[in-house]
Amino acid sequence: MWKMLTVVVVVVIGWLGGAGAQSLLAQSPEVRDLLVVGEKSGALLAIIDPATLEIVARVPANPNPHEVATDGRHAYVSNSGARAITVIDLVTRAQVQEIDLGPLGAVHGLWFAAGKLYFANEGTRIIGRYDPAARRIEWVLGTGRPQSHMIVTSRDGSRIFTTETGPGTATLFQRDVRPGAESAAPTGGDWVMRVISTGPGAEGLDLSPDERELWVANVRDRTLSVIDVASATVVHTIQLPTTYANRLKFTPDGRHVLVADLRGREVIVYDAVARREVRRIDVGGGSEGMQMTPDGRRAFVAVSAMNKVAVVDLESFSVIAEISGLNNPDGMSWVRPGGAP
C-alpha cells in the first residue's frame, strides 16, 4: 500500500513538470514570500499573502508592536516600552521565546542585516546586535546618544545609522578597519562614531540602495536631510509640505523616496537625484510604516488612521488596492523564506 502511494506521488510530481511542481511547492508557507505588519492597537502581527492581498494569519505580538524585522523564518517585533523583543515563528505562526533585554532597556528601532538583528535602545543609550543562530545578544555598544529611535545598517553591517529624536541628529557608527582594530573584541571591534545635526524631531531614515546617501525625516522641523555617507555631512535640506512625516523609504532602484505623513492623507514622492517633489499619492489618511517589494513594482503603505494598508504601483505612483480590516498598522517587513528579508 505505502509503495503504491509513493509511486503515485512521484508520478504526479513528474506529470506537473518543473513549473507545475514549483507552483505546488509555492503553496507551502515555508517557501512563499510574505508581508508582515504590526497592528499597534490589536497587539498582533498580521501575516499577509502579497500576491492575493489576503490576511492569512494573525499572531499575538504583545502590546503596542511598532517595528518589525525578519530573517526569513522569524519575525522580530519591538513593543513600545517593553524590555524584550517579541519573536514569532512564521512557519508555525506562533510566539516563541522572546529576546530578554534586561538592563539594556526598551528598544524601538530594529534592522536585520548579514544574518544579525540590530536594535537601538532609546533610554539606555546603547545599540546592540543579536545572533539568531546562537540565540544570544553578542555585542553591545554604548553610544552616549539619547533617544536613539530608528536604526538601519549597510548590507554587511559595517556601518550603522541611528536617528535621535530629542537632539535632532543622525549618528553614523563605522567599523574601524585599521589593522589590529578588532583584535581585542572579534565580535564587535572598535567603532568610529560621527554625529550629524539634522533637525528637531529626527526620526524616519533610510539608506540609499548604493549606500552613498542617508535620508532623514525631521518631524518637528518639517524637513528632509540628505546626508553624504562618505563625509558624514548634510549636503541638502528639503522643506516638507507635510505636518508629521516620521517615515521615509527609498524605492529599490534608488530613483525615488516616498515620505509618509501621519497627520495628512498623502504620501509625497521625491526624485532622489534631483531632490525635488514629483508626485503626491492620496492614500486616504495618515500614513506611517512602508515596505517595498524586492522587484520594485509596488509599495505597501500603512494608513494607520484608516486601519488599512494601501498598495501603491511604483510606476504610476497610484493606489491600486487596499488591505483593510487591520488595527492601527505601522511597522512592516518583507519575508523571503530562506533568504534575505
Side-chain angles (χ1 to χ4, degrees):
M1 178 66 177
W2 289 113
K3 290 182 180 179
M4 290 177 64
L5 285 174
T6 303
V7 171
V8 170
V9 171
V10 171
V11 170
V12 168
I13 293 178
W15 174 76
L16 282 169
Q22 288 174 8
S23 176
L24 180 66
L25 290 172
Q27 296 175 16
S28 168
E30 288 87 353
V31 296
R32 179 177 256 171
D33 282 12
L34 299 168
L35 177 72
V36 290
V37 182
E39 300 181 68
K40 289 191 292 190
S41 297
L44 297 166
L45 182 77
I47 302 174
I48 297 170
D49 184 334
T52 64
L53 304 182
E54 295 179 351
I55 301 172
V56 297
R58 276 190 163 108
V59 183
N62 295 325
N64 213 3
H66 275 65
E67 298 306 305
V68 182
T70 64
D71 61 9
R73 171 63 188 254
H74 298 97
Y76 303 95
V77 182
S78 66
N79 303 85
S80 183
R83 292 177 177 269
I85 297 172
T86 299
V87 184
I88 294 170
D89 188 315
L90 295 171
V91 175
T92 63
R93 295 173 180 174
Q95 277 194 46
V96 294
Q97 185 174 355
E98 65 187 15
I99 302 170
D100 184 5
L101 298 169
L104 298 181
V107 303
H108 183 280
L110 294 175
W111 193 261
F112 197 88
K116 304 297 174 69
L117 178 70
Y118 293 81
F119 54 86
N121 293 59
E122 293 186 284
T124 53
R125 305 190 182 197
I126 64 100
I127 57 175
R129 187 172 66 212
Y130 173 79
D131 183 350
R135 296 184 181 181
R136 66 183 180 89
I137 296 172
E138 65 172 5
W139 170 79
V140 171
L141 176 67
T143 69
R145 306 299 302 151
Q147 295 180 292
S148 294
H149 195 65
M150 301 293 289
I151 186 169
V152 301
T153 78
S154 59
R155 281 182 290 274
D156 64 359
S158 64
R159 287 173 172 164
I160 302 171
F161 306 87
T162 61
T163 47
E164 293 80 40
T165 55
T169 56
T171 303
L172 162 61
F173 304 89
Q174 185 167 356
R175 190 188 296 274
D176 190 341
V177 296
R178 293 174 302 172
E182 293 191 45
S183 59
T187 60
D190 293 332
W191 292 75
V192 176
M193 184 175 75
R194 304 172 79 176
V195 179
I196 307 154
S197 294
T198 56
E203 189 169 339
L205 80 167
D206 200 17
L207 187 63
S208 63
D210 63 9
E211 302 189 352
R212 294 181 179 179
E213 288 186 349
L214 181 78
W215 285 43
V216 175
N218 308 300
V219 176
R220 296 196 300 276
D221 204 31
R222 299 185 184 182
T223 60
L224 294 177
S225 297
V226 180
I227 297 170
D228 174 70
V229 171
S231 63
T233 57
V234 176
V235 293
H236 195 78
T237 300
I238 301 169
Q239 193 67 45
L240 286 170
T242 56
T243 56
Y244 201 95
N246 68 341
R247 295 292 183 273
L248 59 84
K249 199 80 174 172
F250 272 92
T251 55
D253 61 9
R255 294 175 56 194
H256 296 95
V257 176
L258 274 61
V259 181
D261 185 359
L262 189 56
R263 294 179 183 167
R265 57 180 295 133
E266 294 177 321
V267 170
I268 314 299
V269 182
Y270 286 89
D271 184 313
V273 177
R275 297 169 183 168
R276 62 180 179 84
E277 179 187 327
V278 293
R279 188 69 63 91
R280 298 188 185 189
I281 307 168
D282 188 344
V283 294
S287 55
E288 201 161 8
M290 291 183 284
Q291 178 64 49
M292 311 290 175
T293 58
D295 62 10
R297 297 176 61 184
R298 292 184 293 172
F300 296 91
V301 180
V303 188
S304 306
M306 303 303 292
N307 297 317
K308 66 181 182 180
V309 168
V311 184
V312 174
D313 177 80
L314 290 176
E315 183 175 349
S316 64
F317 291 113
S318 61
V319 175
I320 57 173
E322 293 180 346
I323 305 168
S324 58
L326 297 163
N327 298 293
N328 192 11
D330 183 9
M332 61 181 78
S333 190
W334 188 267
V335 184
R336 175 150 285 173

